[in-house]
Amino acid sequence: MRGRISRTSGYPIHFWLLECFGAPVMPEDIDARRSEYPIIVPMDDGQSDGVVEDAKCVTLARIDAVGYPLGKPPAKINIRDVAGQAGVSVATVSMVINQNPRISRATRAKVNGVIQQLGYSPSRPAQTLSGKYTQVLAVLLPALRHALADTYFGELLSGVVDRAGKLGHKIIVEQTKPQYLKDHKHIELFERKFVDGVLCLGFNDKHHLLADFLARQYPAIMVDNRYSEYKLDFVHCDYRQGAQQAMNCLIQLGHRKIAMIYAAPESATSRDVLDIYRQRMMALVGGISEKWMVDGMFTAEGGAIATDKLLSEAPDITALLCGNDKMAIGAMHSLIRQGLRVPQDVSVVGFDDIQHLPFISPGLTTVHLPLYELGALAVERLIERTHDKISHIHEVLPTHLVLRESTGMVRQS
Amino acid sequence: MRGRISRTSGYPIHFWLLECFGAPVMPEDIDARRSEYPIIVPMDDGQSDGVVEDAKCVTLARIDAVGYPLGKPPAKINIRDVAGQAGVSVATVSMVINQNPRISRATRAKVNGVIQQLGYSPSRPAQTLSGKYTQVLAVLLPALRHALADTYFGELLSGVVDRAGKLGHKIIVEQTKPQYLKDHKHIELFERKFVDGVLCLGFNDKHHLLADFLARQYPAIMVDNRYSEYKLDFVHCDYRQGAQQAMNCLIQLGHRKIAMIYAAPESATSRDVLDIYRQRMMALVGGISEKWMVDGMFTAEGGAIATDKLLSEAPDITALLCGNDKMAIGAMHSLIRQGLRVPQDVSVVGFDDIQHLPFISPGLTTVHLPLYELGALAVERLIERTHDKISHIHEVLPTHLVLRESTGMVRQS
DNA sequence: CTAATACGGTAAACTGTTTTAGCAATATTG
DNA sequence: CAATATTGCTAAAACAGTTTACCGTATTAG
């Protein structure tokens, strides 16, 4: 049974009703700590406006999913209150909080007891002000509208948020719109002491904001890409390996006329895939035609348009390597629309292995990129970097091919 | 030439060596500010451990970064430096920064000039410590793995991040795993002064953590849902209206045997849709069968399974109302797999209108939810709420139906 | 012509931590 | 047994801002 407390002022606070006029009410599923309040208790049941004026008769416990006792302003207590109550100095409390071994076991226990009892938790702004670290990292995203609704970023971000949480860090998310950069907000992130470091997702050689971090020696890691011009820290998936895996697969199935739908050649990892494609084609057929490489803009629509173009200029291709899954889906639709079967007539391989590609048929053979793990790794390294434990971060994560139905033996014709 | 200052204790600080024993060393590219330190100066060149004991003889300048003073810690300047340079008091500078109208135009201009010239930017932790607000909001997500990779959350989050940026607020993103709640991290968000308020995405009646915010009167808004038991602030899409729109459409097309694939009945907005469905069916055919309502778990797979079940128990249904697009896609695949045509045999309507539903055919008729706008609105209201400008936030955003190919006239049979 | 008010600015108190230098008391060493 | 080290803790100085109470002028009102 539930009640609602309206203190003479302030918002109502919800309570479990433990007892009313001596009659116990549902003692189970209730937090152990109980409290008595001289208060007004209007009931929630129907419209009984009945109010218990002198509420000494009711015993209540706050509804607190996690429940510890509480009233609204816990009369903000600070480190001095704790020190006073524990009979030690402020410095001692600080050292207990920060696990400084100079404090004896006995003192530590005593102080921790008081901290518990008073429900003290140190103010982060104050800690940051006098300490060295903010324990906050930023994730920077390019200025694409709805960038976050992209599963590619979502997967990376999931890894970032999860690992950061585990390591006691908070993540703030920012979009680098033109105005944002003009206002130097990305520099302010450091200069106004918002963060210890930044993770840059979705950037490529064209995004010069990264040089700003380098120049000022602020910790920044490029995630799933690298910067060609500057020696910026990075972690990314092994796109070269992925491309090799995809090409191996197609070549072993007998394909020779393999076309490629790429995107964003201003990105180093995109060029990695193109490079490998070129190398393998060179070795395979002794030459490459630029007509077999079309830009698909990383979108499904772009992939479809690219495929249309490809089919009109080189109708005899038997396989398609796509720079990401979205373009591969677009490509498959274009193929099917033109009466070609996948994989009987044309095989298709993608990149990313995005989750929940719902009911795409045939299932798309694709290079799995460990994006979640990459996000987690990036956080791990960035924190080490902010603590000056490591300096140069150049790390690459292995990929693997996921075989589904969109690839098959080359057609006999 | 570089030197490193090791003060008798503490971390080394890197300096340019301007002069040593009277001999000038590289006077150019050096910041104007110089200082004399009675210190030990081990040289950086090779391993010369040579130490200048009485360092009165050396003149040093901090190494500061690009453009202006170069170096590791860019000689952090604070409000007092600005005040000194501008010949005013610290309070005046503070008031200029905060656009306090008490400062005259002339003084304001002078101070702003100095701020510009010195490249000063106020420390956020310090502002937070003495001020009232953190200018940071948190987005809380449920503990779903890869939650962020979901376009539903992505769309909401995009709106949140965009609007927050515009309003000068930062967004931190957190996942409420069980351990997170056990550690009271969601309460710490406020008590340790991390944030001014929280936005709760993806929560429903089962998530009792929301009561904690209510109990302590911390600003919290439930986004795209509401809490049945407590009077928590919320903004959500008008699911009732959406359901009406979907039902109107189907009924106008002549459908009478309409089934529903719902999900998460512990969510108030999900129940809204179910309610409307029930009402309309009651009015339409004078009764409803529980067999016509199946839980699809909000996933494509779930939608497919639910449809299988539906078809086996009630093969004569002619239309399907689905609680979200993913389930609708699953449903369509199940229908097609069983040899039924969409929309000729069965019409399908979804909810969400997720972007880039690439090449689903037939195109899915669906209720468009303004998720991006909802995220933006939530931020707007939350900020107003933290500044005590408004108290009760109960806002609902209109939906509209997007007609595509998955709906058609009821079949004649 | 005096009192009241507005204007523009300042000194000082305050926010809540961490860190450093120092100080007793005890433990170890020569 | 004196000299030195170690241990356990404290006082006080940062850290970088905001806010409040107050203080001369200058203007306006009575």
Side-chain angles (χ1 to χ4, degrees):
Chain A
M1 177 161 280
R2 273 227 182 80
R4 181 147 42 83
I5 292 187
S6 299
R7 290 168 306 172
T8 41
S9 68
Y11 290 103
I13 302 175
H14 294 262
F15 276 70
W16 285 105
L17 221 52
L18 295 194
E19 308 181 274
C20 197
F21 296 97
V25 187
M26 309 288 276
E28 60 271 4
D29 63 25
I30 288 209
D31 184 39
R33 277 153 295 187
R34 305 173 178 202
S35 31
E36 290 198 2
Y37 285 82
I39 33 107
I40 305 160
V41 181
M43 300 303 290
D44 238 354
D45 56 343
Q47 68 268 50
S48 108
D49 252 320
V51 167
V52 183
E53 286 286 347
D54 171 21
K56 271 275 165 39
C57 55
V58 298
T59 310
L60 301 152
R62 274 204 107 110
I63 296 179
D64 236 359
V66 286
Y68 54 46
L70 199 10
K72 151 58 203 230
K76 246 350 217 173
I77 54 167
N78 59 26
I79 199 171
R80 262 165 268 266
D81 300 330
V82 175
Q85 187 76 15
V88 297
S89 77
V90 169
T92 303
V93 178
S94 174
M95 288 169 142
V96 168
I97 292 168
N98 295 294
Q99 324 234 45
N100 189 315
R102 270 170 59 185
I103 304 301
S104 71
R105 191 174 302 276
T107 311
R108 182 190 312 280
K110 181 173 61 184
V111 171
N112 275 325
V114 174
I115 286 176
Q116 207 71 27
Q117 174 202 329
L118 262 46
Y120 164 74
S121 50
S123 151
R124 208 21 14 236
Q127 288 183 312
T128 300
L129 184 59
S130 59
K132 204 175 170 191
Y133 302 111
T134 66
Q135 310 251 68
V136 178
L137 307 175
V139 165
L140 257 40
L141 294 167
L144 310 168
R145 175 161 161 94
H146 299 235
L148 279 158
D150 192 315
T151 52
Y152 172 82
F153 290 113
E155 202 66 26
L156 280 170
L157 204 51
S158 277
V160 167
V161 168
D162 279 8
R163 184 62 54 89
K166 255 179 212 131
L167 298 176
H169 283 242
K170 304 284 180 198
I171 294 293
I172 82 177
V173 178
E174 304 257 292
Q175 287 217 56
T176 56
K177 315 219 161 166
Q179 191 56 44
Y180 183 92
L181 295 176
K182 233 169 266 165
D183 295 346
H184 302 292
K185 295 261 188 224
H186 61 303
I187 298 298
E188 274 193 358
L189 241 27
F190 289 98
E191 302 206 329
R192 301 192 57 191
K193 245 189 165 196
F194 273 111
V195 303
D196 293 332
V198 302
L199 256 20
C200 303
L201 317 195
F203 293 97
N204 58 43
D205 292 353
K206 285 196 315 193
H207 296 103
H208 291 288
L209 80 158
L210 298 165
D212 294 336
F213 299 132
L214 191 64
R216 292 172 179 72
Q217 299 180 47
Y218 293 138
I221 297 184
M222 210 161 173
V223 181
D224 204 29
N225 220 330
R226 60 179 188 279
Y227 211 109
S228 311
E229 281 181 76
Y230 314 110
K231 282 259 173 255
L232 207 72
D233 290 331
F234 68 81
V235 296
H236 64 70
C237 300
D238 194 339
Y239 281 81
R240 304 186 83 88
Q241 182 190 27
Q244 295 284 14
Q245 290 162 341
M247 289 301 282
N248 280 344
C249 166
L250 291 175
I251 291 170
Q252 279 168 24
L253 287 167
H255 293 277
R256 293 295 175 270
K257 296 173 178 172
I258 306 169
M260 157 126 218
I261 300 178
Y262 64 88
E266 58 274 14
S267 147
T269 48
S270 291
R271 285 197 305 271
D272 284 346
V273 177
L274 261 175
D275 282 355
I276 297 296
Y277 168 76
R278 281 210 179 88
Q279 275 177 29
R280 299 299 295 268
M281 288 305 283
M282 205 58 149
L284 197 64
V285 297
I288 45 169
S289 161
E290 291 299 323
K291 281 187 184 163
W292 285 17
M293 293 179 278
V294 185
D295 190 336
M297 317 295 288
F298 274 147
T299 67
E301 293 75 14
I305 294 167
T307 306
D308 292 345
K309 194 172 160 195
L310 228 35
L311 289 176
S312 72
E313 300 200 356
D316 56 339
I317 55 171
T318 68
L320 225 41
L321 174 61
C322 302
N324 75 352
D325 284 353
K326 282 196 211 164
M327 294 193 293
I329 292 168
M332 289 207 290
H333 273 271
S334 162
L335 290 167
I336 290 165
R337 203 170 44 217
Q338 307 214 11
L340 292 166
R341 293 161 304 163
V342 177
Q344 292 87 340
D345 296 316
V346 178
S347 288
V348 177
V349 180
F351 251 87
D352 279 4
D353 192 25
I354 59 183
Q355 306 279 324
H356 308 299
L357 243 192
F359 296 98
I360 288 302
S361 74
L364 180 65
T365 293
T366 191
V367 176
H368 174 84
L369 303 182
L371 297 176
Y372 180 91
E373 292 76 11
L374 190 71
L377 176 71
V379 166
E380 190 113 25
R381 290 288 172 271
L382 182 55
I383 292 175
E384 288 170 7
R385 166 76 174 75
T386 59
H387 290 240
D388 284 326
K389 286 190 185 152
I390 51 175
S391 58
H392 293 298
I393 302 161
H394 294 358
E395 214 152 336
V396 168
L397 244 41
T399 63
H400 66 263
L401 192 70
V402 181
L403 272 174
R404 300 209 181 89
E405 296 90 43
S406 69
T407 42
M409 290 293 288
V410 64
R411 69 170 181 267
Q412 309 299 337
S413 68
Chain B
M1 177 162 281
R2 273 228 185 76
R4 180 148 41 83
I5 293 187
S6 296
R7 289 167 303 175
T8 42
S9 65
Y11 292 99
I13 304 175
H14 294 265
F15 275 70
W16 285 105
L17 221 51
L18 294 194
E19 307 181 273
C20 196
F21 295 99
V25 185
M26 310 288 278
E28 61 271 5
D29 62 26
I30 288 211
D31 182 39
R33 278 155 296 181
R34 306 176 174 199
S35 32
E36 290 197 3
Y37 285 82
I39 33 113
I40 306 161
V41 181
M43 301 302 292
D44 240 352
D45 57 343
Q47 69 267 53
S48 109
D49 251 320
V51 168
V52 183
E53 286 286 349
D54 171 21
K56 274 276 166 39
C57 55
V58 297
T59 312
L60 302 152
R62 283 189 101 117
I63 297 175
D64 267 270
V66 197
Y68 67 39
L70 212 289
K72 192 52 196 277
K76 257 336 239 177
I77 54 169
N78 59 28
I79 199 171
R80 264 162 264 265
D81 300 330
V82 175
Q85 187 76 19
V88 297
S89 77
V90 170
T92 303
V93 177
S94 174
M95 288 169 142
V96 168
I97 292 168
N98 296 294
Q99 324 233 46
N100 189 314
R102 266 171 62 182
I103 304 301
S104 71
R105 191 175 301 275
T107 311
R108 182 190 312 279
K110 182 173 61 181
V111 172
N112 275 326
V114 174
I115 286 176
Q116 207 71 27
Q117 175 201 330
L118 262 45
Y120 165 73
S121 51
S123 152
R124 205 29 9 235
Q127 289 183 311
T128 301
L129 182 59
S130 52
K132 202 173 171 192
Y133 302 111
T134 66
Q135 309 252 68
V136 179
L137 308 175
V139 164
L140 258 41
L141 295 167
L144 311 168
R145 175 163 160 89
H146 299 237
L148 281 158
D150 192 314
T151 50
Y152 172 82
F153 290 113
E155 202 65 27
L156 281 171
L157 204 51
S158 277
V160 168
V161 168
D162 279 8
R163 185 60 58 88
K166 255 181 214 130
L167 299 176
H169 282 241
K170 304 284 180 197
I171 295 292
I172 82 178
V173 178
E174 305 256 291
Q175 287 217 55
T176 56
K177 315 220 160 167
Q179 191 56 45
Y180 183 93
L181 294 176
K182 233 168 264 164
D183 295 345
H184 305 299
K185 295 266 188 221
H186 60 303
I187 297 299
E188 275 193 356
L189 241 27
F190 289 99
E191 302 205 330
R192 301 191 56 191
K193 245 190 166 197
F194 273 111
V195 304
D196 294 332
V198 301
L199 257 19
C200 303
L201 318 195
F203 293 97
N204 58 44
D205 291 352
K206 285 197 314 195
H207 295 103
H208 290 288
L209 80 157
L210 297 165
D212 294 337
F213 299 131
L214 190 65
R216 292 170 181 73
Q217 299 179 48
Y218 293 139
I221 297 185
M222 209 162 174
V223 181
D224 204 29
N225 219 331
R226 61 179 187 278
Y227 211 111
S228 312
E229 282 182 76
Y230 314 113
K231 284 258 174 251
L232 206 71
D233 290 332
F234 67 81
V235 297
H236 64 68
C237 300
D238 194 339
Y239 281 81
R240 304 186 83 90
Q241 181 189 25
Q244 295 283 16
Q245 290 161 341
M247 290 300 284
N248 280 344
C249 167
L250 291 174
I251 292 169
Q252 279 168 22
L253 287 167
H255 293 277
R256 293 293 175 272
K257 296 174 177 173
I258 305 169
M260 158 126 216
I261 301 179
Y262 65 89
E266 59 274 15
S267 147
T269 48
S270 292
R271 285 197 306 272
D272 284 345
V273 178
L274 260 175
D275 282 355
I276 297 296
Y277 167 76
R278 280 210 180 88
Q279 276 178 29
R280 299 300 296 266
M281 288 305 283
M282 205 58 149
L284 198 64
V285 297
I288 45 170
S289 161
E290 292 298 323
K291 280 186 186 165
W292 285 16
M293 293 178 277
V294 185
D295 190 339
M297 317 294 288
F298 274 147
T299 67
E301 294 74 14
I305 294 167
T307 307
D308 292 345
K309 193 171 161 198
L310 228 35
L311 288 177
S312 73
E313 300 201 357
D316 56 339
I317 55 171
T318 68
L320 224 42
L321 173 62
C322 302
N324 75 352
D325 284 352
K326 283 194 209 165
M327 294 193 292
I329 292 168
M332 288 207 292
H333 274 271
S334 161
L335 291 167
I336 290 165
R337 202 169 47 218
Q338 307 211 12
L340 293 166
R341 293 162 304 165
V342 177
Q344 292 86 343
D345 295 317
V346 179
S347 289
V348 177
V349 180
F351 252 89
D352 279 5
D353 191 25
I354 58 182
Q355 305 280 322
H356 309 299
L357 241 192
F359 297 97
I360 290 301
S361 76
L364 180 66
T365 293
T366 190
V367 176
H368 174 84
L369 303 181
L371 298 176
Y372 181 90
E373 292 76 11
L374 189 71
L377 176 72
V379 166
E380 190 111 25
R381 290 287 172 273
L382 182 54
I383 293 175
E384 289 170 7
R385 166 77 175 75
T386 59
H387 291 241
D388 285 326
K389 288 189 185 151
I390 50 175
S391 58
H392 293 298
I393 302 161
H394 295 358
E395 214 151 338
V396 168
L397 245 41
T399 63
H400 64 264
L401 192 70
V402 181
L403 273 174
R404 300 209 182 88
E405 295 89 45
S406 70
T407 41
M409 290 294 288
V410 64
R411 68 170 181 266
Q412 309 298 339
S413 68

